[in-house]
mmCIF file of all heavy atoms in Angstrom:
data_model
loop_
_atom_site.group_PDB
_atom_site.id
_atom_site.type_symbol
_atom_site.label_atom_id
_atom_site.label_comp_id
_atom_site.label_asym_id
_atom_site.label_seq_id
_atom_site.Cartn_x
_atom_site.Cartn_y
_atom_site.Cartn_z
ATOM 1 N N PRO A 39 2.909 10.170 21.146
ATOM 2 C CA PRO A 39 3.806 10.786 22.154
ATOM 3 C C PRO A 39 5.107 11.326 21.565
ATOM 4 O O PRO A 39 5.692 12.244 22.166
ATOM 5 C CB PRO A 39 4.100 9.697 23.154
ATOM 6 C CG PRO A 39 3.841 8.422 22.376
ATOM 7 C CD PRO A 39 2.743 8.742 21.385
ATOM 8 N N CYS A 40 5.550 10.881 20.424
ATOM 9 C CA CYS A 40 6.797 11.346 19.805
ATOM 10 C C CYS A 40 6.491 12.538 18.877
ATOM 11 O O CYS A 40 7.432 13.074 18.289
ATOM 12 C CB CYS A 40 7.498 10.254 19.039
ATOM 13 S SG CYS A 40 8.138 8.968 20.093
ATOM 14 N N ASN A 41 5.206 12.917 18.765
ATOM 15 C CA ASN A 41 4.803 14.092 17.967
ATOM 16 C C ASN A 41 5.318 13.974 16.541
ATOM 17 O O ASN A 41 5.923 14.890 15.977
ATOM 18 C CB ASN A 41 5.321 15.396 18.598
ATOM 19 C CG ASN A 41 4.567 16.570 18.087
ATOM 20 O OD1 ASN A 41 3.414 16.463 17.682
ATOM 21 N ND2 ASN A 41 5.197 17.707 18.037
ATOM 22 N N ILE A 42 5.052 12.808 15.930
ATOM 23 C CA ILE A 42 5.493 12.553 14.555
ATOM 24 C C ILE A 42 4.354 13.139 13.611
ATOM 25 O O ILE A 42 3.189 12.829 13.807
ATOM 26 C CB ILE A 42 5.660 11.084 14.320
ATOM 27 C CG1 ILE A 42 6.848 10.580 15.146
ATOM 28 C CG2 ILE A 42 5.845 10.745 12.829
ATOM 29 C CD1 ILE A 42 6.980 9.112 15.217
ATOM 30 N N GLY A 43 4.761 13.975 12.662
ATOM 31 C CA GLY A 43 3.799 14.585 11.823
ATOM 32 C C GLY A 43 3.883 14.171 10.329
ATOM 33 O O GLY A 43 2.943 14.339 9.585
ATOM 34 N N GLY A 44 5.024 13.504 9.987
ATOM 35 C CA GLY A 44 5.137 13.091 8.603
ATOM 36 C C GLY A 44 6.454 12.363 8.353
ATOM 37 O O GLY A 44 7.240 12.126 9.323
ATOM 38 N N VAL A 45 6.742 12.080 7.130
ATOM 39 C CA VAL A 45 7.936 11.359 6.728
ATOM 40 C C VAL A 45 9.188 12.067 7.155
ATOM 41 O O VAL A 45 10.181 11.442 7.558
ATOM 42 C CB VAL A 45 7.918 11.115 5.232
ATOM 43 C CG1 VAL A 45 9.186 10.493 4.726
ATOM 44 C CG2 VAL A 45 6.761 10.216 4.811
ATOM 45 N N ASP A 46 9.215 13.388 7.131
ATOM 46 C CA ASP A 46 10.434 14.110 7.536
ATOM 47 C C ASP A 46 10.852 13.809 8.950
ATOM 48 O O ASP A 46 12.076 13.837 9.266
ATOM 49 C CB ASP A 46 10.209 15.615 7.372
ATOM 50 C CG ASP A 46 10.023 16.016 5.919
ATOM 51 O OD1 ASP A 46 10.539 15.346 5.031
ATOM 52 O OD2 ASP A 46 9.338 17.046 5.684
ATOM 53 N N ASP A 47 9.891 13.499 9.802
ATOM 54 C CA ASP A 47 10.235 13.153 11.219
ATOM 55 C C ASP A 47 10.983 11.847 11.362
ATOM 56 O O ASP A 47 11.541 11.575 12.430
ATOM 57 C CB ASP A 47 8.957 13.176 12.095
ATOM 58 C CG ASP A 47 8.430 14.561 12.308
ATOM 59 O OD1 ASP A 47 9.215 15.500 12.458
ATOM 60 O OD2 ASP A 47 7.206 14.708 12.293
ATOM 61 N N LEU A 48 10.943 11.032 10.375
ATOM 62 C CA LEU A 48 11.684 9.704 10.450
ATOM 63 C C LEU A 48 13.168 9.954 10.570
ATOM 64 O O LEU A 48 13.874 9.066 11.076
ATOM 65 C CB LEU A 48 11.355 8.852 9.247
ATOM 66 C CG LEU A 48 9.918 8.423 8.998
ATOM 67 C CD1 LEU A 48 9.784 7.625 7.760
ATOM 68 C CD2 LEU A 48 9.354 7.721 10.222
ATOM 69 N N MET A 49 13.668 11.109 10.180
ATOM 70 C CA MET A 49 15.152 11.357 10.249
ATOM 71 C C MET A 49 15.546 11.815 11.647
ATOM 72 O O MET A 49 16.765 11.863 11.892
ATOM 73 C CB MET A 49 15.501 12.446 9.229
ATOM 74 C CG MET A 49 15.276 12.049 7.811
ATOM 75 S SD MET A 49 15.924 13.245 6.646
ATOM 76 C CE MET A 49 15.182 14.764 7.239
ATOM 77 N N ARG A 50 14.644 12.072 12.542
ATOM 78 C CA ARG A 50 14.984 12.515 13.888
ATOM 79 C C ARG A 50 15.777 11.360 14.595
ATOM 80 O O ARG A 50 15.359 10.231 14.490
ATOM 81 C CB ARG A 50 13.749 12.891 14.682
ATOM 82 C CG ARG A 50 13.096 14.132 14.190
ATOM 83 C CD ARG A 50 11.869 14.546 14.941
ATOM 84 N NE ARG A 50 11.587 13.868 16.219
ATOM 85 C CZ ARG A 50 10.387 13.749 16.736
ATOM 86 N NH1 ARG A 50 9.324 14.217 16.101
ATOM 87 N NH2 ARG A 50 10.198 13.122 17.894
ATOM 88 N N GLY A 51 16.827 11.731 15.269
ATOM 89 C CA GLY A 51 17.659 10.736 15.932
ATOM 90 C C GLY A 51 16.980 9.978 17.063
ATOM 91 O O GLY A 51 17.407 8.905 17.444
ATOM 92 N N ASP A 52 15.903 10.560 17.622
ATOM 93 C CA ASP A 52 15.217 9.962 18.741
ATOM 94 C C ASP A 52 14.097 8.995 18.295
ATOM 95 O O ASP A 52 13.415 8.440 19.132
ATOM 96 C CB ASP A 52 14.660 11.046 19.676
ATOM 97 C CG ASP A 52 13.587 11.893 19.023
ATOM 98 O OD1 ASP A 52 13.764 12.223 17.816
ATOM 99 O OD2 ASP A 52 12.650 12.292 19.697
ATOM 100 N N ILE A 53 13.899 8.865 17.009
ATOM 101 C CA ILE A 53 12.810 8.067 16.480
ATOM 102 C C ILE A 53 13.337 6.692 16.046
ATOM 103 O O ILE A 53 14.275 6.589 15.264
ATOM 104 C CB ILE A 53 12.144 8.797 15.283
ATOM 105 C CG1 ILE A 53 11.541 10.125 15.691
ATOM 106 C CG2 ILE A 53 11.033 7.895 14.662
ATOM 107 C CD1 ILE A 53 10.503 10.020 16.776
ATOM 108 N N ARG A 54 12.617 5.655 16.550
ATOM 109 C CA ARG A 54 12.945 4.259 16.119
ATOM 110 C C ARG A 54 11.907 3.820 15.110
ATOM 111 O O ARG A 54 10.688 3.923 15.374
ATOM 112 C CB ARG A 54 12.963 3.344 17.312
ATOM 113 C CG ARG A 54 13.949 3.714 18.401
ATOM 114 C CD ARG A 54 13.665 2.973 19.692
ATOM 115 N NE ARG A 54 12.345 3.320 20.207
ATOM 116 C CZ ARG A 54 11.595 2.530 21.015
ATOM 117 N NH1 ARG A 54 12.004 1.350 21.379
ATOM 118 N NH2 ARG A 54 10.389 2.940 21.410
ATOM 119 N N PHE A 55 12.353 3.280 13.961
ATOM 120 C CA PHE A 55 11.498 2.953 12.871
ATOM 121 C C PHE A 55 11.629 1.479 12.494
ATOM 122 O O PHE A 55 12.756 0.919 12.626
ATOM 123 C CB PHE A 55 11.858 3.810 11.671
ATOM 124 C CG PHE A 55 11.102 3.572 10.414
ATOM 125 C CD1 PHE A 55 9.764 3.957 10.280
ATOM 126 C CD2 PHE A 55 11.724 2.974 9.333
ATOM 127 C CE1 PHE A 55 9.079 3.732 9.145
ATOM 128 C CE2 PHE A 55 11.043 2.740 8.129
ATOM 129 C CZ PHE A 55 9.712 3.108 8.046
ATOM 130 N N VAL A 56 10.534 0.864 12.049
ATOM 131 C CA VAL A 56 10.639 -0.462 11.423
ATOM 132 C C VAL A 56 9.960 -0.320 10.062
ATOM 133 O O VAL A 56 8.922 0.348 9.908
ATOM 134 C CB VAL A 56 9.986 -1.563 12.260
ATOM 135 C CG1 VAL A 56 8.489 -1.360 12.476
ATOM 136 C CG2 VAL A 56 10.277 -2.923 11.686
ATOM 137 N N ASN A 57 10.567 -0.967 9.068
ATOM 138 C CA ASN A 57 10.176 -0.810 7.676
ATOM 139 C C ASN A 57 9.465 -2.045 7.181
ATOM 140 O O ASN A 57 9.447 -3.120 7.871
ATOM 141 C CB ASN A 57 11.431 -0.573 6.850
ATOM 142 C CG ASN A 57 11.225 0.199 5.613
ATOM 143 O OD1 ASN A 57 10.066 0.442 5.157
ATOM 144 N ND2 ASN A 57 12.282 0.644 4.986
ATOM 145 N N ARG A 58 8.907 -1.952 5.992
ATOM 146 C CA ARG A 58 8.340 -3.106 5.285
ATOM 147 C C ARG A 58 9.406 -3.630 4.289
ATOM 148 O O ARG A 58 10.380 -2.900 4.006
ATOM 149 C CB ARG A 58 7.073 -2.711 4.534
ATOM 150 C CG ARG A 58 5.879 -2.426 5.445
ATOM 151 C CD ARG A 58 5.415 -3.656 6.219
ATOM 152 N NE ARG A 58 5.170 -4.796 5.366
ATOM 153 C CZ ARG A 58 4.085 -4.965 4.592
ATOM 154 N NH1 ARG A 58 3.108 -4.156 4.628
ATOM 155 N NH2 ARG A 58 4.010 -6.041 3.796
ATOM 156 N N GLN A 59 9.273 -4.831 3.779
ATOM 157 C CA GLN A 59 10.224 -5.422 2.953
ATOM 158 C C GLN A 59 10.321 -4.739 1.595
ATOM 159 O O GLN A 59 9.346 -4.168 1.115
ATOM 160 C CB GLN A 59 10.002 -6.931 2.800
ATOM 161 C CG GLN A 59 8.863 -7.292 1.806
ATOM 162 C CD GLN A 59 7.491 -7.269 2.445
ATOM 163 O OE1 GLN A 59 7.267 -6.738 3.504
ATOM 164 N NE2 GLN A 59 6.554 -7.898 1.766
ATOM 165 N N ALA A 60 11.489 -4.794 0.996
ATOM 166 C CA ALA A 60 11.702 -4.232 -0.358
ATOM 167 C C ALA A 60 10.699 -4.849 -1.319
ATOM 168 O O ALA A 60 10.339 -6.022 -1.233
ATOM 169 C CB ALA A 60 13.125 -4.497 -0.828
ATOM 170 N N ASN A 61 10.221 -4.046 -2.203
ATOM 171 C CA ASN A 61 9.272 -4.396 -3.309
ATOM 172 C C ASN A 61 7.840 -4.627 -2.794
ATOM 173 O O ASN A 61 6.976 -4.933 -3.667
ATOM 174 C CB ASN A 61 9.765 -5.611 -4.089
ATOM 175 C CG ASN A 61 11.070 -5.300 -4.812
ATOM 176 O OD1 ASN A 61 11.203 -4.183 -5.391
ATOM 177 N ND2 ASN A 61 12.033 -6.207 -4.781
ATOM 178 N N SER A 62 7.545 -4.488 -1.542
ATOM 179 C CA SER A 62 6.160 -4.465 -1.177
ATOM 180 C C SER A 62 5.594 -3.116 -1.581
ATOM 181 O O SER A 62 6.296 -2.115 -1.699
ATOM 182 C CB SER A 62 5.972 -4.649 0.352
ATOM 183 O OG SER A 62 6.453 -3.517 1.028
ATOM 184 N N GLY A 63 4.296 -3.063 -1.848
ATOM 185 C CA GLY A 63 3.670 -1.793 -2.228
ATOM 186 C C GLY A 63 3.910 -0.686 -1.190
ATOM 187 O O GLY A 63 4.125 0.489 -1.518
ATOM 188 N N THR A 64 3.840 -1.050 0.077
ATOM 189 C CA THR A 64 4.027 -0.086 1.176
ATOM 190 C C THR A 64 5.485 0.464 1.150
ATOM 191 O O THR A 64 5.733 1.658 1.351
ATOM 192 C CB THR A 64 3.750 -0.780 2.511
ATOM 193 O OG1 THR A 64 2.424 -1.246 2.487
ATOM 194 C CG2 THR A 64 3.875 0.218 3.665
ATOM 195 N N ARG A 65 6.430 -0.452 0.937
ATOM 196 C CA ARG A 65 7.848 -0.037 0.880
ATOM 197 C C ARG A 65 8.066 0.864 -0.318
ATOM 198 O O ARG A 65 8.836 1.837 -0.259
ATOM 199 C CB ARG A 65 8.754 -1.238 0.894
ATOM 200 C CG ARG A 65 10.244 -0.973 0.697
ATOM 201 C CD ARG A 65 10.833 -0.124 1.851
ATOM 202 N NE ARG A 65 12.272 -0.064 1.673
ATOM 203 C CZ ARG A 65 13.147 -0.907 2.114
ATOM 204 N NH1 ARG A 65 12.699 -2.030 2.781
ATOM 205 N NH2 ARG A 65 14.387 -0.784 1.889
ATOM 206 N N ILE A 66 7.485 0.506 -1.474
ATOM 207 C CA ILE A 66 7.687 1.299 -2.653
ATOM 208 C C ILE A 66 7.124 2.740 -2.416
ATOM 209 O O ILE A 66 7.737 3.692 -2.804
ATOM 210 C CB ILE A 66 6.996 0.660 -3.870
ATOM 211 C CG1 ILE A 66 7.760 -0.642 -4.264
ATOM 212 C CG2 ILE A 66 6.942 1.589 -5.068
ATOM 213 C CD1 ILE A 66 7.028 -1.481 -5.274
ATOM 214 N N LEU A 67 5.988 2.801 -1.738
ATOM 215 C CA LEU A 67 5.391 4.118 -1.415
ATOM 216 C C LEU A 67 6.412 4.887 -0.557
ATOM 217 O O LEU A 67 6.659 6.087 -0.857
ATOM 218 C CB LEU A 67 4.094 3.939 -0.655
ATOM 219 C CG LEU A 67 3.496 5.224 -0.047
ATOM 220 C CD1 LEU A 67 3.147 6.227 -1.159
ATOM 221 C CD2 LEU A 67 2.285 4.912 0.825
ATOM 222 N N LEU A 68 6.921 4.288 0.478
ATOM 223 C CA LEU A 68 7.890 5.028 1.320
ATOM 224 C C LEU A 68 9.131 5.460 0.530
ATOM 225 O O LEU A 68 9.569 6.639 0.594
ATOM 226 C CB LEU A 68 8.333 4.178 2.497
ATOM 227 C CG LEU A 68 9.383 4.826 3.408
ATOM 228 C CD1 LEU A 68 8.833 6.121 4.038
ATOM 229 C CD2 LEU A 68 9.825 3.865 4.485
ATOM 230 N N ASP A 69 9.661 4.576 -0.285
ATOM 231 C CA ASP A 69 10.849 4.893 -1.112
ATOM 232 C C ASP A 69 10.559 6.085 -2.009
ATOM 233 O O ASP A 69 11.388 7.013 -2.149
ATOM 234 C CB ASP A 69 11.306 3.725 -1.901
ATOM 235 C CG ASP A 69 11.886 2.597 -1.055
ATOM 236 O OD1 ASP A 69 12.227 2.815 0.107
ATOM 237 O OD2 ASP A 69 12.009 1.465 -1.562
#
Side-chain angles (χ1 to χ4, degrees):
C40 294
N41 199 29
I42 295 168
V45 173
D46 294 333
D47 289 321
L48 299 179
M49 295 187 309
R50 291 180 12 206
D52 64 323
I53 299 298
R54 300 167 299 154
F55 178 72
V56 63
N57 208 348
R58 291 294 309 280
Q59 77 275 17
N61 296 317
S62 70
T64 304
R65 174 64 174 273
I66 292 169
L67 171 63
L68 178 61
D69 292 343

